[in-house]
Coordinates of all heavy atoms in Angstrom, one line a residue:
A1 N -34.2 -61.8 67.0 CA -34.9 -60.6 66.4 C -34.9 -60.7 64.9 O -36.0 -60.4 64.3 CB -34.2 -59.4 66.9
I2 N -33.8 -61.1 64.3 CA -33.8 -61.2 62.8 C -34.7 -62.2 62.3 O -35.4 -62.1 61.3 CB -32.4 -61.3 62.3 CG1 -32.4 -61.0 60.8 CG2 -31.8 -62.7 62.5 CD1 -31.0 -60.6 60.3
V3 N -34.8 -63.4 63.0 CA -35.7 -64.4 62.6 C -37.1 -64.0 62.8 O -38.0 -64.2 61.9 CB -35.4 -65.7 63.4 CG1 -36.4 -66.8 63.1 CG2 -34.0 -66.2 63.0
D4 N -37.4 -63.4 63.9 CA -38.8 -62.9 64.2 C -39.2 -61.8 63.2 O -40.4 -61.7 63.0 CB -38.9 -62.3 65.6 CG -38.6 -63.4 66.7 OD1 -38.9 -64.6 66.4 OD2 -38.2 -63.1 67.8
S5 N -38.3 -61.1 62.6 CA -38.6 -60.0 61.7 C -39.0 -60.6 60.3 O -39.4 -59.8 59.4 CB -37.5 -59.1 61.5 OG -36.4 -59.6 60.8
G6 N -38.8 -61.9 60.1 CA -39.1 -62.5 58.8 C -38.0 -62.4 57.8 O -38.3 -62.6 56.6
A7 N -36.8 -62.2 58.2 CA -35.7 -62.1 57.3 C -35.3 -63.4 56.6 O -34.8 -63.4 55.5 CB -34.5 -61.5 58.0
V8 N -35.4 -64.5 57.4 CA -34.9 -65.8 56.8 C -35.6 -66.2 55.5 O -34.9 -66.6 54.6 CB -35.0 -66.9 57.9 CG1 -34.6 -68.3 57.3 CG2 -34.1 -66.6 59.1
P9 N -36.9 -66.2 55.4 CA -37.5 -66.5 54.1 C -37.0 -65.6 53.0 O -36.8 -66.0 51.8 CB -39.0 -66.3 54.3 CG -39.2 -66.5 55.8 CD -37.9 -65.9 56.4
L10 N -36.7 -64.3 53.3 CA -36.2 -63.4 52.3 C -34.8 -63.8 51.9 O -34.4 -63.7 50.7 CB -36.2 -62.0 52.8 CG -37.7 -61.4 53.1 CD1 -37.6 -60.0 53.7 CD2 -38.5 -61.4 51.8
L11 N -34.0 -64.2 52.9 CA -32.6 -64.7 52.6 C -32.6 -65.9 51.7 O -31.8 -66.0 50.7 CB -31.8 -65.0 53.8 CG -31.4 -63.7 54.7 CD1 -30.9 -64.2 56.0 CD2 -30.4 -62.9 53.9
I12 N -33.6 -66.8 52.0 CA -33.7 -68.0 51.1 C -34.2 -67.7 49.7 O -33.7 -68.2 48.8 CB -34.7 -69.0 51.8 CG1 -34.0 -69.5 53.1 CG2 -35.0 -70.2 50.9 CD1 -35.0 -70.2 54.0
L13 N -35.0 -66.7 49.6 CA -35.5 -66.2 48.3 C -34.3 -65.6 47.5 O -34.1 -65.9 46.4 CB -36.6 -65.2 48.5 CG -37.3 -64.7 47.2 CD1 -38.0 -65.9 46.6 CD2 -38.3 -63.6 47.6
C14 N -33.5 -64.8 48.2 CA -32.3 -64.2 47.6 C -31.2 -65.2 47.2 O -30.5 -65.0 46.2 CB -31.7 -63.1 48.5 SG -32.8 -61.7 48.7
I15 N -31.1 -66.2 47.9 CA -30.0 -67.2 47.6 C -30.3 -67.9 46.3 O -29.5 -68.5 45.7 CB -29.8 -68.2 48.8 CG1 -28.4 -68.7 48.8 CG2 -30.8 -69.4 48.7 CD1 -28.0 -69.4 50.1
Q16 N -31.6 -67.8 45.9 CA -32.0 -68.5 44.6 C -31.7 -67.6 43.4 O -31.9 -68.0 42.2 CB -33.5 -68.8 44.6 CG -33.8 -69.8 45.8 CD -35.3 -70.0 45.9 OE1 -36.0 -70.4 45.0 NE2 -35.8 -69.7 47.1
E17 N -31.3 -66.3 43.6 CA -31.1 -65.4 42.5 C -29.7 -65.7 41.9 O -28.9 -66.3 42.5 CB -31.0 -64.0 43.1 CG -32.4 -63.5 43.6 CD -33.4 -63.3 42.4 OE1 -33.0 -62.9 41.3 OE2 -34.5 -63.7 42.6
P18 N -29.6 -65.4 40.6 CA -28.3 -65.7 39.9 C -27.1 -64.9 40.3 O -26.0 -65.3 40.1 CB -28.7 -65.5 38.4 CG -29.8 -64.5 38.4 CD -30.6 -64.8 39.7
E19 N -27.3 -63.8 40.9 CA -26.2 -62.9 41.3 C -25.3 -63.6 42.3 O -25.7 -63.9 43.4 CB -26.7 -61.6 41.8 CG -25.7 -60.6 42.3 CD -24.7 -60.2 41.3 OE1 -25.1 -60.0 40.1 OE2 -23.5 -60.1 41.7
L20 N -24.1 -63.8 42.0 CA -23.1 -64.5 42.8 C -22.9 -63.9 44.2 O -22.9 -64.5 45.2 CB -21.8 -64.7 42.1 CG -20.7 -65.5 42.8 CD1 -21.2 -66.9 43.1 CD2 -19.4 -65.6 42.0
S21 N -22.7 -62.6 44.2 CA -22.4 -61.9 45.4 C -23.6 -61.9 46.4 O -23.4 -62.0 47.6 CB -21.9 -60.4 45.2 OG -22.9 -59.7 44.5
L22 N -24.8 -61.9 45.8 CA -26.0 -62.0 46.6 C -26.1 -63.4 47.3 O -26.4 -63.5 48.5 CB -27.2 -61.7 45.8 CG -28.5 -61.7 46.5 CD1 -28.5 -60.6 47.6 CD2 -29.7 -61.4 45.5
K23 N -25.8 -64.4 46.5 CA -25.7 -65.8 47.0 C -24.8 -65.9 48.2 O -25.1 -66.5 49.2 CB -25.4 -66.8 45.9 CG -26.4 -67.1 44.9 CD -25.9 -68.1 43.9 CE -26.9 -68.4 42.8 NZ -28.0 -69.2 43.3
R24 N -23.6 -65.4 48.0 CA -22.5 -65.4 49.1 C -23.0 -64.7 50.3 O -22.8 -65.3 51.4 CB -21.3 -64.7 48.6 CG -20.5 -65.5 47.6 CD -19.2 -64.7 47.3 NE -18.5 -65.2 46.1 CZ -17.7 -64.4 45.4 NH1 -17.5 -63.1 45.7 NH2 -17.1 -64.9 44.4
I25 N -23.5 -63.6 50.2 CA -24.0 -62.8 51.4 C -25.1 -63.5 52.1 O -25.1 -63.6 53.3 CB -24.5 -61.4 50.9 CG1 -23.2 -60.6 50.5 CG2 -25.2 -60.7 52.0 CD1 -23.6 -59.3 49.7
C26 N -26.0 -64.1 51.3 CA -27.2 -64.8 51.9 C -26.7 -66.1 52.7 O -27.2 -66.4 53.8 CB -28.2 -65.2 50.9 SG -29.1 -63.7 50.3
A27 N -25.8 -66.8 52.0 CA -25.3 -68.0 52.7 C -24.5 -67.7 54.0 O -24.7 -68.3 55.0 CB -24.4 -68.8 51.7
S28 N -23.8 -66.6 53.9 CA -23.1 -66.1 55.1 C -24.0 -65.7 56.2 O -23.8 -66.0 57.4 CB -22.1 -65.0 54.7 OG -21.5 -64.5 55.8
A29 N -25.0 -65.0 55.8 CA -26.0 -64.5 56.8 C -26.8 -65.7 57.5 O -27.0 -65.7 58.7 CB -27.0 -63.6 56.2
L30 N -27.1 -66.7 56.6 CA -27.8 -67.9 57.2 C -26.9 -68.6 58.1 O -27.3 -69.1 59.2 CB -28.3 -68.8 56.0 CG -29.5 -68.2 55.2 CD1 -29.7 -69.1 54.0 CD2 -30.7 -68.2 56.1
S31 N -25.6 -68.7 57.8 CA -24.6 -69.3 58.6 C -24.5 -68.6 60.0 O -24.5 -69.2 61.0 CB -23.3 -69.4 57.9 OG -22.3 -70.0 58.8
D32 N -24.5 -67.3 59.9 CA -24.4 -66.5 61.1 C -25.6 -66.7 62.0 O -25.5 -66.7 63.2 CB -24.2 -65.0 60.8 CG -22.8 -64.7 60.3 OD1 -21.8 -65.5 60.5 OD2 -22.6 -63.7 59.6
I33 N -26.7 -66.8 61.4 CA -28.0 -67.0 62.2 C -27.9 -68.4 62.9 O -28.2 -68.5 64.1 CB -29.2 -66.9 61.3 CG1 -29.4 -65.4 60.9 CG2 -30.5 -67.3 62.0 CD1 -30.4 -65.2 59.7
C34 N -27.5 -69.4 62.1 CA -27.6 -70.8 62.6 C -26.6 -71.1 63.7 O -26.8 -72.0 64.5 CB -27.4 -71.7 61.5 SG -28.7 -71.8 60.3
K35 N -25.5 -70.3 63.8 CA -24.4 -70.7 64.7 C -24.8 -70.5 66.2 O -24.2 -71.1 67.0 CB -23.1 -70.0 64.3 CG -23.1 -68.5 64.6 CD -21.8 -67.9 64.2 CE -21.8 -66.4 64.5 NZ -20.6 -65.8 64.0
H36 N -25.8 -69.6 66.4 CA -26.0 -69.2 67.8 C -26.8 -70.2 68.7 O -26.5 -70.3 69.9 CB -26.7 -67.9 67.8 CG -25.9 -66.8 67.3 ND1 -24.8 -66.3 67.9 CD2 -25.9 -66.1 66.1 CE1 -24.2 -65.3 67.2 NE2 -24.9 -65.2 66.1
S37 N -27.7 -70.9 68.1 CA -28.5 -71.8 69.0 C -29.2 -72.9 68.1 O -29.5 -72.6 66.9 CB -29.6 -71.1 69.8 OG -30.6 -70.6 69.0
P38 N -29.6 -74.0 68.7 CA -30.4 -75.0 68.0 C -31.7 -74.5 67.5 O -32.2 -74.8 66.5 CB -30.6 -76.1 69.0 CG -29.5 -75.9 70.0 CD -29.2 -74.5 70.1
E39 N -32.3 -73.5 68.3 CA -33.6 -73.0 67.9 C -33.5 -72.1 66.7 O -34.4 -72.2 65.8 CB -34.2 -72.2 69.1 CG -34.5 -73.0 70.3 CD -33.3 -73.4 71.2 OE1 -32.3 -72.7 71.1 OE2 -33.5 -74.3 72.0
L40 N -32.4 -71.3 66.6 CA -32.3 -70.5 65.4 C -31.9 -71.4 64.2 O -32.5 -71.2 63.1 CB -31.2 -69.5 65.6 CG -31.5 -68.4 66.6 CD1 -30.3 -67.5 66.8 CD2 -32.7 -67.5 66.0
A41 N -31.1 -72.4 64.4 CA -30.8 -73.3 63.3 C -32.1 -74.0 62.8 O -32.3 -74.2 61.6 CB -29.8 -74.4 63.7
Q42 N -32.9 -74.4 63.8 CA -34.2 -75.1 63.4 C -35.1 -74.2 62.7 O -35.8 -74.6 61.7 CB -34.9 -75.6 64.7 CG -36.1 -76.4 64.4 CD -35.8 -77.7 63.7 OE1 -35.0 -78.6 64.2 NE2 -36.4 -78.0 62.5
A43 N -35.1 -72.9 63.0 CA -35.9 -71.9 62.3 C -35.5 -71.8 60.9 O -36.3 -71.7 60.0 CB -35.9 -70.6 63.1
V44 N -34.2 -71.8 60.6 CA -33.7 -71.7 59.3 C -34.1 -72.9 58.5 O -34.5 -72.9 57.3 CB -32.1 -71.5 59.3 CG1 -31.6 -71.6 57.9 CG2 -31.8 -70.1 59.9
V45 N -33.9 -74.1 59.1 CA -34.3 -75.4 58.5 C -35.8 -75.3 58.2 O -36.3 -75.7 57.1 CB -34.0 -76.6 59.3 CG1 -34.6 -77.9 58.8 CG2 -32.5 -76.7 59.4
D46 N -36.6 -74.9 59.1 CA -38.1 -74.9 59.0 C -38.5 -74.0 57.8 O -39.6 -74.2 57.2 CB -38.8 -74.4 60.2 CG -38.7 -75.5 61.3 OD1 -38.3 -76.7 61.0 OD2 -38.9 -75.1 62.5
C47 N -37.7 -73.0 57.5 CA -38.0 -72.0 56.4 C -37.6 -72.6 55.1 O -37.8 -72.0 54.0 CB -37.3 -70.7 56.6 SG -38.1 -69.7 57.9
G48 N -36.9 -73.8 55.1 CA -36.6 -74.5 53.9 C -35.2 -74.1 53.3 O -35.0 -74.3 52.1
A49 N -34.3 -73.7 54.1 CA -33.0 -73.3 53.6 C -32.1 -74.5 53.1 O -31.4 -74.3 52.1 CB -32.2 -72.6 54.7
V50 N -32.2 -75.6 53.7 CA -31.2 -76.7 53.4 C -31.3 -77.1 51.9 O -30.2 -77.3 51.3 CB -31.4 -77.9 54.3 CG1 -30.6 -79.1 53.9 CG2 -31.1 -77.5 55.8
P51 N -32.5 -77.3 51.3 CA -32.5 -77.7 49.9 C -31.9 -76.7 48.9 O -31.5 -77.0 47.8 CB -34.0 -77.9 49.6 CG -34.6 -78.1 50.9 CD -33.8 -77.3 51.9
Y52 N -31.8 -75.4 49.4 CA -31.1 -74.4 48.6 C -29.7 -74.2 48.9 O -28.9 -73.8 48.0 CB -31.9 -73.1 48.7 CG -33.3 -73.1 48.2 CD1 -34.4 -73.2 49.1 CD2 -33.5 -73.2 46.9 CE1 -35.7 -73.3 48.6 CE2 -34.8 -73.3 46.4 CZ -35.9 -73.4 47.3 OH -37.2 -73.5 46.8
L53 N -29.3 -74.6 50.1 CA -27.8 -74.5 50.4 C -27.1 -75.7 49.9 O -26.0 -75.6 49.4 CB -27.7 -74.4 52.0 CG -28.0 -73.1 52.6 CD1 -28.1 -73.3 54.1 CD2 -27.0 -72.0 52.3
A54 N -27.7 -76.9 50.0 CA -27.0 -78.1 49.6 C -26.4 -78.1 48.2 O -25.2 -78.5 48.0 CB -27.9 -79.3 49.8
P55 N -27.1 -77.7 47.2 CA -26.6 -77.7 45.8 C -25.4 -76.7 45.6 O -24.6 -76.9 44.7 CB -27.7 -77.3 44.9 CG -29.0 -77.4 45.7 CD -28.6 -77.3 47.1
L56 N -25.3 -75.7 46.5 CA -24.3 -74.7 46.3 C -22.9 -75.3 46.7 O -21.9 -74.7 46.3 CB -24.6 -73.5 47.2 CG -25.9 -72.7 46.9 CD1 -26.0 -71.6 47.9 CD2 -25.8 -72.3 45.4
I57 N -22.8 -76.4 47.3 CA -21.5 -77.0 47.6 C -20.9 -77.6 46.3 O -19.7 -77.9 46.3 CB -21.6 -78.1 48.7 CG1 -22.4 -79.3 48.3 CG2 -22.0 -77.5 50.0 CD1 -22.5 -80.4 49.2
S58 N -21.6 -77.6 45.3 CA -21.1 -78.0 44.0 C -20.8 -76.9 43.0 O -20.5 -77.0 41.9 CB -22.0 -79.0 43.3 OG -22.1 -80.2 44.1
H59 N -21.0 -75.7 43.5 CA -20.9 -74.5 42.7 C -19.4 -74.3 42.3 O -18.5 -74.7 43.0 CB -21.4 -73.2 43.4 CG -21.7 -72.1 42.6 ND1 -20.7 -71.2 42.1 CD2 -22.9 -71.6 42.0 CE1 -21.3 -70.3 41.4 NE2 -22.6 -70.5 41.3
S60 N -19.2 -73.6 41.2 CA -17.8 -73.4 40.7 C -17.1 -72.3 41.5 O -15.9 -72.3 41.6 CB -17.8 -73.0 39.2 OG -18.6 -71.8 39.1
D61 N -17.8 -71.5 42.2 CA -17.2 -70.4 43.0 C -16.7 -70.9 44.4 O -17.6 -71.4 45.2 CB -18.1 -69.2 43.2 CG -17.5 -68.1 43.9 OD1 -16.6 -67.4 43.3 OD2 -17.9 -67.9 45.1
A62 N -15.5 -70.8 44.7 CA -14.9 -71.4 45.9 C -15.5 -70.7 47.2 O -15.7 -71.3 48.2 CB -13.4 -71.3 45.9
K63 N -15.6 -69.4 47.1 CA -16.1 -68.6 48.2 C -17.6 -69.0 48.5 O -17.9 -69.1 49.7 CB -16.0 -67.1 48.0 CG -14.6 -66.6 48.0 CD -14.6 -65.1 47.8 CE -13.2 -64.6 47.7 NZ -13.1 -63.2 47.4
L64 N -18.4 -69.2 47.5 CA -19.8 -69.6 47.7 C -19.8 -71.0 48.3 O -20.6 -71.3 49.2 CB -20.6 -69.5 46.4 CG -22.0 -69.9 46.5 CD1 -22.8 -69.1 47.6 CD2 -22.7 -69.7 45.2
K65 N -19.0 -71.9 47.8 CA -18.9 -73.3 48.3 C -18.6 -73.2 49.8 O -19.2 -73.9 50.6 CB -17.8 -74.1 47.7 CG -18.1 -74.7 46.4 CD -16.9 -75.6 46.0 CE -17.0 -75.9 44.5 NZ -15.9 -76.8 44.1
R66 N -17.6 -72.4 50.2 CA -17.2 -72.3 51.6 C -18.4 -71.8 52.5 O -18.6 -72.3 53.6 CB -16.0 -71.4 51.7 CG -15.4 -71.3 53.1 CD -14.1 -70.6 53.2 NE -14.1 -69.4 52.4 CZ -13.2 -69.2 51.3 NH1 -12.3 -70.1 51.0 NH2 -13.2 -68.1 50.6
Q67 N -19.1 -70.7 52.0 CA -20.2 -70.2 52.7 C -21.3 -71.2 52.9 O -21.9 -71.3 54.0 CB -20.7 -68.9 52.0 CG -19.8 -67.8 51.9 CD -19.5 -67.2 53.3 OE1 -20.1 -67.5 54.3 NE2 -18.5 -66.3 53.3
A68 N -21.6 -71.9 51.8 CA -22.7 -73.0 51.9 C -22.3 -74.1 52.8 O -23.1 -74.5 53.6 CB -23.0 -73.5 50.5
C69 N -21.1 -74.5 52.7 CA -20.6 -75.6 53.6 C -20.6 -75.1 55.1 O -21.0 -75.9 56.0 CB -19.2 -76.0 53.3 SG -19.1 -77.0 51.8
G70 N -20.2 -73.9 55.3 CA -20.3 -73.3 56.6 C -21.7 -73.2 57.2 O -21.9 -73.6 58.3
A71 N -22.6 -72.8 56.4 CA -24.0 -72.7 56.8 C -24.6 -74.1 57.2 O -25.2 -74.3 58.2 CB -24.9 -72.1 55.7
L72 N -24.3 -75.1 56.3 CA -24.7 -76.5 56.6 C -24.1 -77.0 57.9 O -24.7 -77.7 58.6 CB -24.5 -77.4 55.4 CG -25.3 -77.0 54.1 CD1 -24.8 -77.8 52.9 CD2 -26.8 -77.4 54.4
A73 N -22.8 -76.7 58.1 CA -22.1 -77.2 59.3 C -22.7 -76.5 60.5 O -22.9 -77.2 61.5 CB -20.6 -76.8 59.2
Q74 N -23.1 -75.2 60.4 CA -23.7 -74.5 61.6 C -25.0 -75.1 61.9 O -25.4 -75.1 63.1 CB -23.8 -73.0 61.3 CG -22.5 -72.3 61.2 CD -21.6 -72.3 62.4 OE1 -22.1 -72.6 63.5 NE2 -20.3 -72.1 62.3
I75 N -25.7 -75.6 60.9 CA -27.0 -76.2 61.2 C -26.8 -77.6 61.8 O -27.4 -77.9 62.9 CB -27.8 -76.4 59.8 CG1 -28.3 -75.1 59.3 CG2 -29.0 -77.3 60.0 CD1 -28.8 -75.1 57.9
A76 N -25.9 -78.4 61.2 CA -25.7 -79.7 61.7 C -25.1 -79.9 63.1 O -25.3 -80.9 63.7 CB -24.8 -80.5 60.7
K77 N -24.3 -78.9 63.5 CA -23.6 -79.0 64.8 C -24.5 -79.1 66.0 O -24.0 -79.6 67.0 CB -22.6 -77.9 64.9 CG -23.2 -76.6 65.3 CD -22.1 -75.5 65.5 CE -22.7 -74.2 66.1 NZ -21.7 -73.2 66.2
H78 N -25.7 -78.7 65.9 CA -26.5 -78.5 67.1 C -27.2 -79.8 67.6 O -27.3 -79.9 68.8 CB -27.6 -77.4 66.9 CG -27.0 -76.1 66.8 ND1 -26.5 -75.4 67.8 CD2 -26.9 -75.2 65.7 CE1 -26.1 -74.2 67.4 NE2 -26.3 -74.1 66.1
S79 N -27.5 -80.7 66.7 CA -28.2 -81.9 67.2 C -28.2 -83.0 66.1 O -27.9 -82.7 64.9 CB -29.7 -81.6 67.5 OG -30.4 -81.4 66.4
V80 N -28.4 -84.2 66.5 CA -28.5 -85.3 65.6 C -29.6 -85.1 64.6 O -29.4 -85.3 63.4 CB -28.7 -86.6 66.4 CG1 -29.0 -87.8 65.4 CG2 -27.5 -86.9 67.2
D81 N -30.7 -84.6 65.0 CA -31.9 -84.3 64.1 C -31.5 -83.3 63.1 O -31.8 -83.5 61.9 CB -33.1 -83.9 64.9 CG -33.7 -85.0 65.7 OD1 -33.5 -86.2 65.4 OD2 -34.5 -84.6 66.7
L82 N -30.9 -82.2 63.5 CA -30.5 -81.2 62.5 C -29.4 -81.8 61.5 O -29.4 -81.5 60.3 CB -30.0 -80.0 63.2 CG -31.1 -79.1 63.8 CD1 -30.5 -78.0 64.7 CD2 -32.0 -78.5 62.8
A83 N -28.5 -82.6 62.1 CA -27.5 -83.2 61.2 C -28.1 -84.1 60.2 O -27.7 -84.1 59.0 CB -26.4 -83.9 62.1
E84 N -29.1 -84.8 60.6 CA -29.8 -85.7 59.7 C -30.5 -84.9 58.6 O -30.5 -85.4 57.4 CB -30.8 -86.6 60.4 CG -30.1 -87.7 61.2 CD -31.1 -88.5 62.0 OE1 -32.4 -88.2 62.0 OE2 -30.7 -89.5 62.7
M85 N -31.0 -83.8 58.9 CA -31.7 -82.9 57.9 C -30.6 -82.5 56.8 O -31.0 -82.5 55.6 CB -32.2 -81.7 58.5 CG -33.3 -81.9 59.5 SD -34.8 -82.5 58.7 CE -35.7 -81.0 58.5
V86 N -29.4 -82.2 57.2 CA -28.4 -81.9 56.3 C -28.0 -83.1 55.4 O -27.9 -83.0 54.2 CB -27.2 -81.2 57.0 CG1 -26.0 -81.0 56.1 CG2 -27.6 -79.9 57.7
V87 N -27.8 -84.2 56.1 CA -27.4 -85.4 55.4 C -28.4 -85.8 54.4 O -28.1 -86.2 53.3 CB -27.0 -86.5 56.3 CG1 -26.8 -87.9 55.6 CG2 -25.8 -86.2 57.2
E88 N -29.7 -85.7 54.8 CA -30.8 -86.1 53.9 C -30.9 -85.2 52.7 O -31.6 -85.5 51.7 CB -32.1 -86.1 54.7 CG -32.2 -87.3 55.6 CD -33.4 -87.2 56.6 OE1 -34.2 -86.2 56.4 OE2 -33.5 -88.0 57.5
A89 N -30.2 -84.1 52.7 CA -30.2 -83.2 51.5 C -29.3 -83.7 50.4 O -29.0 -83.0 49.4 CB -29.8 -81.8 51.9
E90 N -28.8 -84.9 50.6 CA -28.0 -85.6 49.6 C -26.7 -84.8 49.3 O -26.3 -84.5 48.1 CB -28.8 -85.9 48.3 CG -29.9 -86.8 48.6 CD -30.8 -87.0 47.3 OE1 -30.4 -86.6 46.2 OE2 -31.8 -87.7 47.5
I91 N -26.0 -84.4 50.3 CA -24.8 -83.6 50.2 C -23.6 -84.5 49.8 O -22.6 -84.0 49.4 CB -24.5 -82.7 51.4 CG1 -24.3 -83.6 52.6 CG2 -25.5 -81.7 51.6 CD1 -23.7 -82.8 53.8
F92 N -23.7 -85.8 50.1 CA -22.7 -86.7 49.8 C -22.9 -87.3 48.4 O -24.1 -87.6 48.1 CB -22.6 -87.9 50.8 CG -22.2 -87.4 52.2 CD1 -23.2 -87.2 53.1 CD2 -20.9 -87.0 52.5 CE1 -22.9 -86.7 54.4 CE2 -20.6 -86.6 53.7 CZ -21.6 -86.4 54.7
P93 N -22.0 -87.5 47.5 CA -20.5 -87.4 47.7 C -20.0 -86.0 47.3 O -18.8 -85.8 47.4 CB -20.0 -88.4 46.7 CG -20.9 -88.4 45.6 CD -22.3 -88.2 46.2
N94 N -20.9 -85.0 47.0 CA -20.4 -83.7 46.6 C -19.6 -83.0 47.7 O -18.6 -82.4 47.3 CB -21.6 -82.8 46.3 CG -22.4 -83.3 45.1 OD1 -21.8 -84.0 44.2 ND2 -23.6 -82.9 45.0
I95 N -19.9 -83.2 48.9 CA -19.1 -82.6 50.0 C -17.7 -83.2 50.0 O -16.7 -82.5 50.3 CB -19.8 -82.7 51.3 CG1 -19.2 -81.7 52.3 CG2 -19.8 -84.1 51.9 CD1 -19.7 -80.3 52.2
L96 N -17.6 -84.5 49.7 CA -16.3 -85.1 49.7 C -15.4 -84.6 48.5 O -14.2 -84.5 48.7 CB -16.4 -86.7 49.7 CG -17.2 -87.3 50.8 CD1 -17.4 -88.8 50.6 CD2 -16.5 -87.0 52.1
T97 N -16.1 -84.3 47.4 CA -15.3 -83.8 46.3 C -14.7 -82.4 46.6 O -13.6 -82.1 46.2 CB -16.3 -83.6 45.1 OG1 -16.9 -84.9 44.8 CG2 -15.6 -83.1 43.9
C98 N -15.4 -81.7 47.5 CA -14.9 -80.4 47.9 C -13.6 -80.5 48.7 O -12.8 -79.6 48.7 CB -15.9 -79.6 48.7 SG -17.4 -79.1 47.8
L99 N -13.5 -81.6 49.4 CA -12.3 -81.8 50.2 C -11.1 -82.2 49.5 O -10.0 -82.2 50.0 CB -12.6 -82.8 51.3 CG -13.8 -82.5 52.2 CD1 -14.1 -83.7 53.2 CD2 -13.4 -81.2 53.1
Q100 N -11.2 -82.6 48.2 CA -10.1 -83.1 47.4 C -9.2 -81.9 47.0 O -9.6 -80.8 46.8 CB -10.5 -83.8 46.2 CG -11.2 -85.1 46.6 CD -11.7 -85.9 45.4 OE1 -11.7 -85.4 44.3 NE2 -12.0 -87.2 45.6

């Protein structure tokens, strides 16, 4: 229902705003949408979320990093194709730096 209402493009638009708390909320919402099914994850990818989520894993705010990593993980977990979309967003080696 939330995807059908057109919320995903608006969340992606909001994640580009400078306000930190807005970025966190949007990343969390995208993660929550993606976790339910491959179709929902694909809808988020199709709206162009990955290129905006991927750079956030290098952000200085730990909570935002966690939300962005979570959203990317929720996308990637559903299929090899979706995982490839995340990997192609050039998240390495930045994601490995987060683990240190």
